[in-house]
Amino acid sequence: MAFQNITIAGTGVLGSQIAYQTALNGFKVTAYDLDVDAAKQRVLALKDSYKRDLDLTDEDFQAGLNNLTFTTNLEEAVQDADYVIEALPEELSIKADFYKQLSKLATAKTIFASNSSTMVPSQLVKYVDRPQKFLNMHFANMIWKCNVAEIMGTDQTDPAVYQAVVDFARAIKMVPIEIHKEQPGYVLNSLLIPFVV
């Protein structure tokens, strides 16, 4: 179960970073946002940090951009997605409405994940049509430096789906933290962030 086409829904601070980090590592990425111009600017604003911290050249950075497209059309964004990472605002009603819409538009193969830092997956899974293909994948800010991703499923998450997301985390140069029992606050929020800020 290998991913090729990734959709990032919401390109705020973290969504833009997830989109670019994924594209930089060779995946075809579609960034879905209602404001494409702002989304593009947030991604372009990462250039100096990537050049400084990872020694990327202009050509390296451009190679990542070449794998990234932007759209305001969710149906278009997910038409061939293997994996959708939702990075929308931390409001349950926004996420619930999104997952209801996403469930109608995504193909049967598509796996869903939330980047939520405050909601555990059991709070969101009730809004999807494929509970076996839903989990959380939580990133820290400045993911090119704080390159960890917490992966937390529910008791309905297919173990093969969970493993595919762990493998994907490694493929985009994240260190996966596998959480096999729901934990509000996550490991990053409760333990690591005070030491990396």
Side-chain angles (χ1 to χ4, degrees):
M1 191 184 297
F3 301 155
Q4 293 182 314
N5 301 311
I6 312 297
T7 298
I8 310 302
T11 57
V13 171
L14 264 174
S16 58
Q17 294 177 28
I18 298 165
Y20 183 73
Q21 180 73 19
T22 303
L24 180 64
N25 285 283
F27 291 87
K28 182 182 175 186
V29 177
T30 301
Y32 164 74
D33 200 286
L34 298 181
D35 188 340
V36 163
D37 290 337
K40 289 178 179 177
Q41 289 306 310
R42 282 189 290 272
V43 170
L44 291 173
L46 297 171
K47 184 175 182 178
D48 288 345
S49 296
Y50 270 82
K51 289 179 70 175
R52 179 186 67 242
D53 296 329
L54 299 184
D55 295 322
L56 254 62
T57 64
D58 288 343
E59 293 75 15
D60 293 334
F61 191 82
Q62 184 60 48
L65 293 179
N66 292 344
N67 289 327
L68 184 55
T69 58
F70 297 84
T71 183
T72 59
N73 184 314
L74 183 58
E75 183 172 12
E76 178 183 299
V78 302
Q79 63 185 353
D80 197 33
D82 298 306
Y83 187 42
V84 175
I85 302 174
E86 167 267 310
L88 298 174
E90 293 290 289
E91 290 185 29
L92 182 59
S93 61
I94 292 174
K95 292 181 186 291
D97 288 346
F98 171 77
Y99 281 116
K100 290 174 187 176
Q101 185 181 10
L102 179 64
S103 294
K104 294 175 184 175
L105 297 174
T107 62
K109 71 172 181 176
T110 310
I111 294 167
F112 302 166
S114 177
N115 177 55
S116 178
S117 61
T118 61
M119 299 173 203
V120 292
S122 62
Q123 292 175 268
L124 300 171
V125 70
K126 65 189 78 171
Y127 303 109
V128 306
D129 67 339
R130 58 198 75 192
Q132 74 282 6
K133 292 184 177 180
F134 180 80
L135 39 61
N136 278 23
M137 185 179 193
H138 175 229
F139 295 82
N141 193 17
M142 298 188 295
I143 68 173
W144 63 93
K145 288 175 65 176
C146 302
N147 62 324
V148 292
E150 298 178 280
I151 300 161
M152 181 190 297
T154 71
D155 57 7
Q156 299 176 81
T157 306
D158 183 336
V161 166
Y162 190 97
Q163 186 59 51
V165 173
V166 170
D167 294 343
F168 168 74
R170 293 193 177 105
I172 61 168
K173 297 185 170 60
M174 296 293 109
V175 177
I177 299 175
E178 299 183 41
I179 302 172
H180 292 283
K181 184 177 180 181
E182 284 197 340
Q183 175 180 323
Y186 296 83
V187 175
L188 284 177
N189 290 355
S190 57
L191 295 177
L192 299 180
I193 292 302
F195 299 101
V196 298
V197 172

